[in-house]
Amino acid sequence: MFEPIGLIILCAGLASLLMGRTAPMVLVVLCSGLGAAAALLIGAANIQPAHVVLLLAVLAMVVRPAGAAFFIRAVTQSWPTLWLTLLVLYGVITGYFMPRLMAGATEIIPLGSSSFEDTGGTVPLGPVSSNFTQSVYMIANLLCFVATLQAASTDQGFRSIALGVLGLAGFNAAIAVVDVATYWTGTQAVLDVIRNARYTLHHEEQIAGLKRIVGGMPEASAFARFTLGLMGFSGMLWISGLWTRVSGPLALASFALVLLSTSTTGMVGLIPVSGALYAVALARALRARSTAGGTLFLLALPAAAGVFALVLMASADLRTAVLDYVDLLVFSKASSNSGIERAAFNAIALQNFLDSYGFGVGLGTVRTSALPVALLSHVGIPGTLFYLAFLAAVAWPGRKAVSPERRGVRGAALMACFALICGDLIAAPNIEQGLIFYILAGLAAARPARRAEPATRSAMPSAQPLATAMR
């Protein structure tokens, strides 16, 4: 049945259908920040708000002849879509057959519920409930990717989705502030309407006296990974000189939220993402293409790091507190109960990969704690190659002249995908990376419609090379 938040989102989704083909996808973007909400509860299944709106958006797309034709061309002629389709097909097929064909051949940590009693340990390989749910999620990701390509085939649609992601960054930051404020004032019930999912939620936990920030997500790790992607997107827009009055403050706010989230995923992920942003800003400066935001970032980051180091040197108490915080979240993580448990997940999953002769034990079958291990154990070598080919097709398919705005947004989308992958390398229970990842990948892969055709009969989506997109 529909939950109150589900009815609100359903009404908003129906209203968005009257506002043009791009509006539903912008709403999908905004709803992706409600990861702890369930719009619809079907048995034990939680249907998130973003998926409800996505269904409306896809239906509105395929009922139109031009939209249906675009979808068919995307699947058959676009390399990014083709590789993603192969990954989804292989995952769905293995998710059904491998647990049955190899039943009992290896011991697994099931991702979902199985026919065996849940003891928290290993059980013999067999079908689990998440084989179905993960298949549905991956199909939804494919549809979301194609719908983004179609919506972003016009300049107006492309800009609307990009601004929608910036709006999501602001929405995410606002929920995080409310999360912390309601926790310390004992008014957490205010957020119950968007925390109604039936899976375990960790929104009342502390570490080192700090509230673990979860925002609209089920746990701090998911929030930090999500916010890290938004930081990469808004930070890259700022460096590129796009919507700087909004993108700059949102990048800084997202950075602060990741830093304060008390998540190992966020703390470790900040290093490569900040380094990548700095490298891009430096490369633009060396080519005499730096913007005001890029120049400020180049100067401010080392200056802020230097000032912080001096403050730490001057205050022994502060230095001790900061080092203890970093040690707790990073250096001591591997020896903690959570770290030991995650290492065990990965070790067992790698053994499952070997026992399956490299084909994987099926999409959604086992629980892992890192994306590479999840890929190998779920979809094996074939699925991992399909995934890598998809990333390559999104990033480096060929050159095409585009406007500076498109080039900047594509670079920002690629940076955001990189940031999300950094988070997934640290903590990923499966290969499903969420709708926001495929929306961003769609922005990076979209290209404008041919001028000789109407916007609804756009040319096939392609992708922009990483080097060109980041200029």
Side-chain angles (χ1 to χ4, degrees):
M1 60 178 292
F2 272 100
E3 295 289 291
I5 184 65
L7 293 174
I8 295 173
I9 294 299
L10 179 62
C11 292
L14 293 174
S16 71
L17 296 178
L18 305 177
M19 301 170 64
R21 70 182 188 186
T22 305
M25 285 308 302
V26 174
L27 186 58
V28 172
V29 172
L30 296 175
C31 288
S32 65
L34 300 175
L40 183 64
L41 295 173
I42 304 177
N46 301 273
I47 311 300
Q48 295 183 348
H51 288 91
V52 173
V53 183
L54 176 64
L55 177 61
L56 296 176
V58 171
L59 289 176
M61 173 184 173
V62 298
V63 295
R64 296 182 297 106
F70 185 98
F71 184 87
I72 294 173
R73 292 199 307 272
V75 173
T76 58
Q77 299 177 25
S78 165
W79 281 111
T81 313
L82 176 61
W83 290 121
L84 182 57
T85 301
L86 289 175
L87 170 62
V88 173
L89 285 176
Y90 185 82
V92 171
I93 292 171
T94 57
Y96 181 82
F97 287 104
M98 293 302 286
R100 292 167 173 81
L101 294 176
M102 295 187 62
T106 185
E107 294 288 312
I108 66 169
I109 298 289
L111 180 61
S113 58
S114 68
S115 59
F116 299 93
E117 182 180 357
D118 184 11
T119 62
T122 61
V123 300
L125 174 62
V128 296
S129 61
S130 46
N131 291 133
F132 174 75
T133 56
Q134 290 297 303
S135 295
V136 172
Y137 283 142
M138 288 303 295
I139 292 172
N141 290 335
L142 172 61
L143 295 176
C144 182
F145 180 76
V146 177
T148 303
L149 290 177
Q150 196 259 357
S153 63
T154 66
D155 289 338
Q156 181 181 359
F158 187 85
R159 186 179 301 111
S160 296
I161 295 178
L163 291 173
V165 178
L166 274 181
L168 174 63
F171 179 55
N172 180 66
I175 295 181
V177 172
V178 174
D179 173 35
V180 175
T182 55
Y183 177 80
W184 291 115
T185 58
T187 56
Q188 300 98 314
V190 171
L191 295 177
D192 284 351
V193 68
I194 61 170
R195 288 176 174 167
N196 62 326
R198 289 182 178 174
Y199 38 75
T200 304
L201 303 179
H202 302 272
H203 57 270
E204 295 186 356
E205 298 179 355
Q206 288 188 47
I207 283 186
L210 294 175
K211 199 272 181 193
R212 303 203 74 188
I213 303 176
V214 298
M217 297 294 135
E219 60 178 351
S221 178
F223 170 79
R225 179 252 185 194
F226 188 79
T227 308
L228 195 64
L230 296 176
M231 185 195 95
F233 184 82
S234 52
M236 191 64 189
L237 286 180
W238 186 45
I239 291 172
S240 302
L242 294 175
W243 306 301
T244 53
R245 292 185 179 180
V246 176
S247 58
L250 287 176
L252 185 60
S254 298
F255 174 84
L257 289 171
V258 173
L259 198 61
L260 297 173
S261 67
T262 72
S263 166
T264 302
T265 300
M267 289 287 289
V268 177
L270 277 176
I271 299 173
V273 176
S274 299
L277 287 170
Y278 196 83
V280 172
L282 181 60
R284 292 174 65 95
L286 292 176
R287 295 199 302 254
R289 296 182 179 179
S290 183
T291 62
T295 302
L296 180 60
F297 179 61
L298 282 175
L299 299 175
L301 184 62
V307 170
F308 184 65
L310 291 174
V311 171
L312 289 183
M313 293 174 63
S315 174
D317 292 341
L318 180 60
R319 181 170 64 251
T320 300
V322 170
L323 292 178
D324 287 346
Y325 181 71
V326 174
D327 178 70
L328 179 64
L329 295 183
V330 181
F331 300 115
S332 298
K333 182 67 175 181
S335 59
S336 67
N337 291 335
S338 174
I340 294 172
E341 182 182 53
R342 291 185 179 189
F345 289 164
N346 286 338
I348 295 170
L350 285 174
Q351 185 60 50
N352 299 151
F353 163 70
L354 296 175
D355 292 341
S356 69
Y357 305 101
F359 290 99
V361 292
L363 176 64
T365 302
V366 301
R367 183 176 297 277
T368 66
S369 185
L371 181 60
V373 179
L375 286 166
L376 290 173
S377 59
H378 284 230
V379 292
I381 294 175
T384 301
L385 292 177
F386 291 149
Y387 177 79
L388 293 176
F390 165 71
L391 294 183
V394 167
W396 302 292
R399 295 182 175 274
K400 180 180 176 63
V402 294
S403 67
E405 181 178 296
R406 274 191 175 262
R407 186 162 56 246
V409 171
R410 287 177 174 181
L414 287 171
M415 183 63 72
C417 287
F418 170 73
L420 293 173
I421 291 174
C422 286
D424 291 333
L425 293 176
I426 303 165
N430 50 65
I431 72 170
E432 203 278 306
Q433 296 179 277
L435 295 180
I436 188 61
F437 179 84
Y438 292 95
I439 290 170
L440 292 165
L443 269 181
R447 83 178 193 189
R450 293 175 182 172
R451 294 182 179 180
E453 298 179 346
T456 55
R457 294 177 56 87
S458 62
M460 275 322 305
S462 181
Q464 185 72 8
L466 182 62
T468 302
M470 289 190 176
R471 287 179 182 172

